């Protein structure tokens, strides 16, 4: 099946309230344009330089999501155009995003990454770190960054029960934060090609799908 067919097939399975991020990392502009022609407007990249090159070449109504781990020294290269940064996992990174957004006269939307997997290799804040970041006076004074939700990645395993447990754990943290912020956070990004249907069942509002649209890496 073509990229366009894959995309339309996946979109037909998504509930109305779920946003699809087409994970286009390592894929050539021609592939992204095929998805664009089929109506896709949100693309996810994990390398800032590659995303910036594609942004320059492609239509300007595309929303670019940074879905990979972000190094603070690279934030300046995407501050002009990035639509949503998914993996925000430290106060230091929050400070840098706020600073670069200010320079570009923008407010940048971000998701805080929560560590829910059993693997140590996954990035993210634990619940204590999340609470302390959100309550810090420094964070509360920032005017150029907007936390719109949370994201997390489940353990890479075939054990569906474990994945479900991790997704539900993230959903409970998300619900608590929503209550605390009077519904100012609305995005829960969890679920990829292999587990997005389970993630949606557990309350995800945004899924990141790459190989099921564009084929393997």
């Amino acid at each position: 099946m073509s990229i366009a067919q894959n995309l339309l097939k996946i979109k037909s399975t998504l509930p109305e309230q779920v946003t699809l991020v087409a994970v286009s990392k390592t894929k050539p502009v021609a592939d992204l344009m095929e998805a664009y022609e089929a109506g896709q407007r949100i693309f996810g990249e994990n390398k800032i330089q590659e995303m910036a090159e594609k942004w320059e070449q492609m239509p300007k109504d595309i929303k670019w999501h940074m879905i990979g781990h972000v190094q603070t020294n690279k934030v300046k290269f995407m501050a002009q155009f990035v639509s949503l940064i998914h993996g925000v996992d430290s106060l230091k990174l929050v400070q840098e995003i706020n600073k670069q957004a200010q320079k570009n006269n923008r407010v940048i939307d971000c998701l805080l990454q929560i560590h829910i997997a059993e693997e140590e290799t996954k990035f993210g804040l634990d619940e204590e770190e999340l609470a302390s970041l959100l309550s810090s006076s420094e964070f509360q004074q920032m005017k150029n960054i907007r936390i719109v939700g949370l994201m997390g990645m489940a353990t890479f395993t075939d054990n569906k029960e474990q994945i479900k447990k991790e997704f539900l754990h993230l959903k409970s943290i998300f619900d608590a934060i929503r209550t605390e912020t009077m519904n100012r956070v609305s995005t829960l990004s969890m679920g990829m090609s292999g587990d997005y249907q389970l993630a949606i069942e557990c309350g995800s509002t945004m899924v990141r799908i790459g190989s099921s649209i564009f084929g393997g890496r």
Side-chain angles (χ1 to χ4, degrees):
M1 283 194 349
S2 69
I3 289 168
Q5 287 169 319
N6 289 340
L7 183 69
L8 296 173
K9 186 182 167 196
I10 287 166
K11 278 191 168 172
S12 71
T13 68
L14 297 179
E16 207 177 316
Q17 76 279 9
V18 175
T19 301
L20 171 63
V21 180
V23 178
S24 49
K25 59 185 186 182
T26 76
K27 297 298 175 186
V29 167
D31 285 8
L32 277 71
M33 281 308 298
E34 191 181 331
Y36 178 88
E37 299 296 347
Q40 183 62 20
R41 291 294 180 273
I42 302 174
F43 292 91
E45 293 282 331
N46 72 338
K47 290 197 167 59
I48 293 172
Q49 212 159 352
E50 185 181 339
M51 182 168 74
E53 284 167 13
K54 288 173 177 173
W55 169 70
E56 281 175 6
Q57 294 174 53
M58 292 182 67
K60 292 299 173 265
D61 61 338
I62 290 173
K63 290 181 175 175
W64 293 99
H65 287 203
M66 178 61 195
I67 60 169
H69 183 65
V70 179
Q71 294 170 296
T72 46
N73 63 344
K74 300 273 176 72
V75 173
K76 58 180 176 281
F77 299 116
M78 63 175 171
Q80 183 189 346
F81 68 89
V82 69
S83 176
L84 182 66
I85 302 174
H86 283 235
V88 178
D89 60 358
S90 69
L91 182 58
K92 187 179 162 204
L93 181 54
V94 167
Q95 289 164 332
E96 184 62 22
I97 294 167
N98 187 65
K99 180 176 126 186
Q100 296 300 336
Q102 209 171 1
K103 283 185 184 175
N104 285 276
N105 207 15
R106 295 186 66 207
V107 176
I108 295 178
D109 288 344
C110 296
L111 302 176
L112 292 173
Q113 181 167 359
I114 309 302
H115 188 287
I116 54 170
E118 285 185 1
E119 298 142 302
E120 282 305 307
T121 52
K122 295 271 196 300
F123 296 101
L125 303 157
D126 63 27
E127 287 174 76
E128 271 179 38
E129 291 165 332
L130 172 68
S132 101
L133 192 155
L134 290 176
S135 61
S136 73
S137 57
E138 196 175 350
F139 169 71
Q140 287 171 1
Q141 285 161 17
M142 293 179 190
K143 299 279 186 278
N144 294 79
I145 183 169
R146 182 167 46 220
I147 302 300
V148 296
L150 304 179
M151 69 82 70
M153 292 163 76
T155 303
F156 188 67
T157 173
D158 291 331
N159 182 343
K160 289 274 186 279
E161 280 311 305
Q162 185 180 347
I163 294 170
K164 185 176 181 180
K165 187 181 82 179
E166 291 167 359
F167 282 158
L168 288 173
H169 177 51
L170 182 55
K171 175 68 162 68
S172 71
I173 298 170
F174 174 73
D175 288 342
I177 296 289
R178 271 194 88 165
T179 305
E180 280 169 33
T181 61
M182 294 179 295
N183 292 340
R184 278 203 302 274
V185 300
S186 57
T187 301
L188 180 57
S189 172
M190 58 185 192
M192 301 188 285
S193 284
D195 57 19
Y196 76 91
Q197 276 147 329
L198 181 57
I200 291 167
E201 281 171 36
C202 295
S204 174
T205 68
M206 181 176 280
V207 292
R208 310 178 297 273
I209 299 178
S211 52
S212 300
I213 298 171
F214 296 105
R217 298 275 164 258

